[in-house]
Amino acid sequence: MYIIKKHFAFPRIIYFLIPIIIINLVFTNFPSNSVEISSIKFIGEATLPKGLIFQKTKVGGLSGIAYNAKNNLYYAITDDRGQKAAVRFYTLKIDLSKGLLKKDGIIPVSVTTLLNKNGQIFRPGETDTEDIALTNKLTIFISSEGDAAKLINPFIKEFSLSSGKEIFTLPLPNKFLPDKTNQKGIRNNLAFESLTITPDNKHLFTATENALIQDGVAAKPNIGSPCRILQYNLLNNQPEKEFLYETEPVTPFLNLIGKFASGLPDLLALDNQGHFLSLERSFTGLGFAISLFQVSLEGADDIHNIDSLLAVDFKNIKPVKKKLLLDLRKLDILLDNIEGLTFGPKLPNGQQSLILISDNNFNSLQRTQILAFQIKIETPLIKLLRRLLPNINL
């Protein structure tokens, strides 16, 4: 009997692991398997030289950025409408190997010209490219705001990463397209600034920077704007859902020049269950107000069948949930026109890096600014274990 007991005796660690495995299985299949950003830490700032010329192009207007973990490179799209050089994106190196970003930690590597489906460069003014997202098949999606004033439609197109040639255009619901009556569609320069793909590459999300004309007002001092998040199914390349995202009202500070702009310039998918980081950016007359939010689609109403929010009872629509993570004005740095964000590599301490980039508008008074952060992402399992085992470093 002793031999049998000895043979079937389990190490103590098994008794510890079995409940963890069971809990993990439960949480993995639980509908509200929400991740959470539990901390965010600023780890450095860098800027590109003003007036930088690289491979015969003027570097600037970098409004969106994506990270390629396989080669530790970044792709940054410029919103130059083909007027300073052909429509293009840049490949960059950003050095985070020491766990922080130094002032000289950015190196341009190459520039890639975007070509239309006929293999030709886009005509000047034909695009207003704003964001870029990398797929798992060596292609990129790029969004363009178009030009509502000239009735040039926005677009979301897939391009070859290596050649820059157009592969496919995602269809846009008619409600987003501008028309001659100026009663519907995107507002000029307030369209598809954002673009992100879920880790499983099954869904792509974009959002309007401000409300569609038929949905409500554009952002004003102390007034937010009802934006639409648009979800695509990349298995059939069709739009399938839309969600209401309300930007925060922002109070201008010493706005002597009277100019104000505020909106949603980027989203970043955290997982495959509808959780994101969002970036809200405002020009307040005296510098920029930049905020990072954690966003969840859980419980939000699908509004893709509603062509006009003003035509329904607006108060009965459940928007996406938002939680403020960081007001960047609390950092001891001078903020520029931050418009893009992406994950970077894991840092030497094992934590996740996050990169933000600014669009300098090709303005000599502004900078191409890159900010780096360390963030801690916790799953429900980790959060539970932290409560159960507070003395263990997870």
Side-chain angles (χ1 to χ4, degrees), residues 100-119:
L100 50 84
L101 176 61
K102 297 182 179 179
K103 293 183 179 181
D104 58 351
I106 313 167
I107 301 174
V109 175
S110 64
V111 58
T112 303
T113 299
L114 295 181
L115 306 174
N116 63 21
K117 59 184 178 182
N118 298 319

Side-chain angles (χ1 to χ4, degrees), residues 113-164:
T113 299
L114 295 181
L115 306 174
N116 63 21
K117 59 184 178 182
N118 298 319
Q120 301 173 331
I121 63 173
F122 288 90
R123 298 188 304 272
E126 187 178 1
T127 69
D128 182 11
T129 48
E130 293 288 353
D131 210 354
I132 183 169
L134 179 69
T135 75
N136 60 357
K137 52 183 181 178
L138 296 179
T139 65
I140 50 175
F141 279 95
I142 290 176
S143 62
S144 169
E145 289 194 297
D147 191 328
K150 298 179 180 179
L151 297 181
I152 297 176
N153 290 337
F155 68 65
I156 302 169
K157 293 179 181 288
E158 186 178 14
F159 295 85
S160 165
L161 179 62
S162 58
S163 70

Side-chain angles (χ1 to χ4, degrees), residues 92-106:
L92 308 173
K93 286 184 178 179
I94 300 177
D95 186 7
L96 297 176
S97 60
K98 303 298 183 182
L100 50 84
L101 176 61
K102 297 182 179 179
K103 293 183 179 181
D104 58 351
I106 313 167

Side-chain angles (χ1 to χ4, degrees), residues 120-343:
Q120 301 173 331
I121 63 173
F122 288 90
R123 298 188 304 272
E126 187 178 1
T127 69
D128 182 11
T129 48
E130 293 288 353
D131 210 354
I132 183 169
L134 179 69
T135 75
N136 60 357
K137 52 183 181 178
L138 296 179
T139 65
I140 50 175
F141 279 95
I142 290 176
S143 62
S144 169
E145 289 194 297
D147 191 328
K150 298 179 180 179
L151 297 181
I152 297 176
N153 290 337
F155 68 65
I156 302 169
K157 293 179 181 288
E158 186 178 14
F159 295 85
S160 165
L161 179 62
S162 58
S163 70
K165 185 177 179 181
E166 178 183 336
I167 299 171
F168 185 79
T169 301
L170 293 178
L172 286 175
N174 186 61
K175 67 171 74 73
F176 292 91
L177 305 181
D179 69 2
K180 295 179 181 180
T181 67
N182 199 34
Q183 298 298 310
K184 65 174 281 290
I186 57 167
R187 286 182 160 90
N188 204 40
N189 206 34
L190 293 173
F192 298 138
E193 282 263 359
S194 58
L195 205 61
T196 188
I197 297 175
T198 54
D200 62 8
N201 272 255
K202 292 182 179 179
H203 292 94
L204 176 146
F205 292 84
T206 186
T208 57
E209 187 178 359
N210 266 208
L212 299 177
I213 292 173
Q214 70 271 25
D215 281 347
V217 298
K220 299 177 181 179
N222 302 303
I223 299 175
S225 187
C227 308
R228 285 189 189 237
I229 294 178
L230 174 56
Q231 174 183 323
Y232 281 88
N233 185 333
L234 291 182
L235 300 180
N236 59 17
N237 291 323
Q238 293 298 312
E240 57 182 8
K241 294 181 180 180
E242 296 170 24
F243 303 94
L244 172 61
Y245 180 108
E246 297 176 308
T247 63
E248 297 300 303
V250 175
T251 302
F253 179 70
L254 292 178
N255 193 354
L256 301 178
I257 60 176
K259 291 185 177 182
F260 180 85
S262 185
L264 170 64
D266 213 354
L267 291 170
L268 180 61
L270 291 172
D271 57 21
N272 304 317
Q273 285 79 41
H275 302 100
F276 305 86
L277 286 180
S278 72
L279 177 68
E280 294 191 23
R281 176 275 326 269
S282 302
F283 177 69
T284 63
L286 186 65
F288 294 91
I290 313 292
S291 295
L292 281 172
F293 294 86
Q294 180 162 336
V295 176
S296 173
L297 302 184
E298 184 180 350
D301 290 330
D302 178 5
I303 59 172
H304 81 277
N305 286 323
I306 301 175
D307 288 336
S308 170
L309 295 180
L310 294 178
V312 299
D313 191 346
F314 191 85
K315 295 179 181 179
N316 289 334
I317 295 176
K318 294 180 181 177
V320 302
K321 299 174 184 176
K322 295 168 55 183
K323 174 186 175 183
L324 178 64
L325 292 176
L326 178 65
D327 182 343
L328 273 68
R329 288 176 294 185
K330 295 181 179 180
L331 302 177
D332 189 23
I333 56 173
L334 179 63
L335 295 172
D336 212 287
N337 182 34
I338 300 293
E339 288 195 357
L341 76 162
T342 186
F343 288 129

